[in-house]
Amino acid sequence: MSTPPLASGPQGPDALRPLLATVLDALAAGARSRGGPLPAGGPDAVTARFAHTVGDILPADGDPDALRTLVHALAEGSADPAHPHCTAHLHGPPLAVATAADLAASALNPSLDSWDQAPAASALETLVTRTLAAHAGFADALVTTGGTEANQLALLLAREAHGPALRLLCGANAHHSLPRAAWLLGLPEPHIIPTPRGTLDPTALATALTTLPGPHTPVVVAATAGTTDAGLIDPLPAIGALCRTHGARLHIDAAYGGGLLFSDRRRPLLTGLDTAHTATLDLHKLGWQPAAAGLLAVRDPNDLTALHHRADYLNAADDTDAGLPDLLGRSLRTTRRPDVLKIAATLKTLGRTGLGALVDHVCDHARHLADLVTAHPRLELHAPPTLSTVLFRPTDATDTTVAETRRRLLTDGHAVLGRARLDDRLWLKATLLNPHTRPADLTALLHLVEGNTPT
């Protein structure tokens, strides 16, 4: 058997070119076989079909057609975030330019744990993170795998700045990764403030800040700009003012809502974001990046000194003194792929105006869907959307009926809708992230819901 070709080096592009054609053909064929936003049949049927198609994953002798087989099977069995009826989660369709850039990142395979593995990529990461941090009103930013890692890093930096007695205060609407990060970091039990209206109430926060911590207990407040259930934004200016009054540290999880920074129309919804000590951003949501593309923005670059770490084979002191950049302090991970390349390609190709237009498109789609629900005699809207998430349900349906409707659509492969519990009721959730969605697609989605609601 001849030695298989490599993706990089002088012969890399020639080796990749025919394989790319194979992949693209298999993606198209798999999508045609699927025929909708989700493979039909439910988990057991999809698993059985996939296993039958793929066969032995580690045969004694290699299969020259394995790439085509696997990509076709994956495409046929995938949820397609580009389909207008795939709206369950913050799982957006990636831009073609970002995906193409990601191919280059994979082929070149820089690792951002030492400069000698990633000379250009390290320079690009510095340029992109500082640019995005400044655009959000911060001093610097770290690249993360997404909102969960960014939230964990935010609490780690807060703990290192204020000590292990640090207490997390957050709303019940906060992302699950925040209390989990407190547990992971050995912090005291977080105080969770009820959010019956879906956002953190400043009055309730003021009471908690006044009555809960001891006189010398450091506090970090976590607010949310874009909840995962309804896309709601906490009152950031009021929360920021309370944190200043009480000497509390503030972290804002804007993994979802941070994309509004690109929109001139909607950026004011994030007023107060720059009052935070740290903020989570996530461009594989309202940034249309292939996962992963998260960021943690920091107001004070000195906070990042807590991440400094020495490994002689990666950042020896004499190398650093001689001018080689020290990259280990930019993450808790060691090996890091250059996710910044796809972000940079998108920023430079579309610019602020282009990205802002995409943000406005999907938020406008949500408003249109909400109007359709309001006008529908057999559907009920939870509330007008803030971002691109719409919650609705069949009128007078029970929670059991709502859940059964969602599962029926999933099993048949017709639509991918999420679920959210607010006001002690279960709602169908449509998270609109596809800027190519048309009004007719939204009308068709509601017809599917109506036609699959058990009576």
Side-chain angles (χ1 to χ4, degrees):
M1 178 179 177
S2 60
T3 303
L6 302 176
S8 58
Q11 287 77 42
D14 289 336
L16 279 172
R17 195 166 283 111
L19 297 177
L20 290 181
T22 297
V23 166
L24 296 176
D25 289 345
L27 284 172
R32 288 193 299 269
S33 299
R34 183 182 62 244
L38 197 76
D44 291 343
V46 171
T47 299
R49 196 160 57 238
F50 186 86
H52 175 75
T53 301
V54 171
D56 188 354
I57 202 66
L58 186 60
D61 298 311
D63 177 2
D65 205 37
L67 180 64
R68 183 188 305 277
T69 299
L70 285 165
V71 174
H72 183 283
L74 188 68
E76 183 182 35
S78 289
D80 181 6
H83 193 286
H85 295 161
C86 190
T87 65
H89 303 287
L90 289 163
H91 172 210
L95 293 167
V97 67
T99 305
D102 218 23
L103 168 65
S106 292
L108 293 168
N109 207 28
S111 181
L112 282 147
D113 49 320
S114 66
W115 182 87
D116 56 358
Q117 298 176 85
S122 64
L124 182 63
E125 184 172 271
T126 299
L127 178 62
V128 170
T129 52
R130 289 182 180 172
T131 297
L132 287 174
H135 188 63
F138 292 82
D140 201 354
L142 303 178
V143 175
T144 71
T145 53
T148 293
E149 184 189 353
N151 285 339
Q152 289 173 350
L153 274 173
L155 289 198
L156 173 63
L157 296 181
R159 186 193 70 180
E160 294 306 291
H162 299 284
L166 181 74
R167 185 96 183 267
L168 169 65
L169 269 63
C170 64
N173 64 337
H175 194 261
H176 64 85
S177 62
L178 282 158
R180 195 178 193 194
W183 162 76
L184 182 67
L185 295 167
L187 298 177
E189 185 73 18
H191 179 72
I192 310 297
I193 301 171
T195 53
R197 297 184 179 179
T199 56
L200 184 56
D201 177 21
T203 301
L205 176 61
T207 299
L209 286 169
T210 301
T211 61
L212 280 172
H216 304 294
T217 301
V219 169
V220 56
V221 172
T224 306
T227 58
T228 54
D229 53 7
L232 302 178
I233 298 175
D234 288 340
L236 304 182
I239 292 171
L242 281 170
C243 288
R244 287 192 298 273
T245 298
H246 290 270
R249 188 180 177 98
L250 175 60
H251 170 66
I252 297 178
D253 178 2
Y256 181 10
L260 299 184
L261 291 167
F262 299 115
S263 166
D264 290 339
R265 287 169 53 194
R266 291 180 164 87
R267 184 183 174 104
L269 291 172
L270 293 182
T271 298
L273 179 69
D274 58 357
T275 65
H277 295 80
T278 52
T280 290
L281 307 171
D282 197 346
L283 294 177
H284 57 249
K285 295 180 173 64
L286 286 181
W288 295 276
Q289 299 300 292
L295 294 153
L296 177 70
V298 296
R299 184 204 299 175
D300 184 357
N302 291 323
D303 280 352
L304 299 181
T305 58
L307 299 179
H308 176 74
H309 182 67
R310 182 72 66 191
D312 195 62
Y313 75 105
L314 294 172
N315 62 346
D318 59 316
D319 278 348
T320 303
D321 292 341
L324 295 183
D326 180 354
L327 305 183
L328 274 189
R330 304 293 298 178
S331 177
L332 290 180
R333 292 173 284 150
T334 303
T335 300
R336 287 195 297 122
R337 72 187 308 271
D339 288 317
V340 72
L341 177 60
K342 61 196 174 192
I343 298 173
T346 301
L347 298 178
K348 191 164 180 62
T349 300
L350 274 68
R352 292 189 302 273
T353 302
L355 275 167
L358 296 183
V359 171
D360 289 335
H361 282 328
V362 296
C363 291
D364 289 344
H365 292 336
R367 299 232 168 197
H368 181 65
L369 179 60
D371 289 342
L372 291 175
V373 171
T374 300
H376 199 293
R378 289 176 295 280
L379 295 175
E380 176 185 356
L381 179 71
H382 176 263
T386 301
L387 296 177
S388 65
T389 298
V390 179
L391 301 185
F392 66 101
R393 53 184 281 146
T395 305
D396 298 326
T398 65
D399 286 356
T400 299
T401 297
V402 172
E404 289 176 352
T405 299
R406 174 180 176 270
R407 287 193 292 268
R408 180 179 292 184
L409 290 167
L410 287 175
T411 300
D412 292 342
H414 292 325
V416 191
L417 285 164
R419 55 187 287 164
R421 181 167 292 280
L422 281 175
D423 301 335
D424 201 30
R425 291 198 292 170
L426 188 64
W427 299 84
L428 296 172
K429 178 174 71 169
T431 307
L432 303 176
L433 292 179
N434 185 349
H436 292 279
T437 297
R438 302 163 301 173
D441 298 321
L442 301 176
T443 300
L445 179 63
L446 297 186
H447 286 326
L448 284 169
V449 170
E450 186 179 16
N452 284 272
T453 300
T455 57

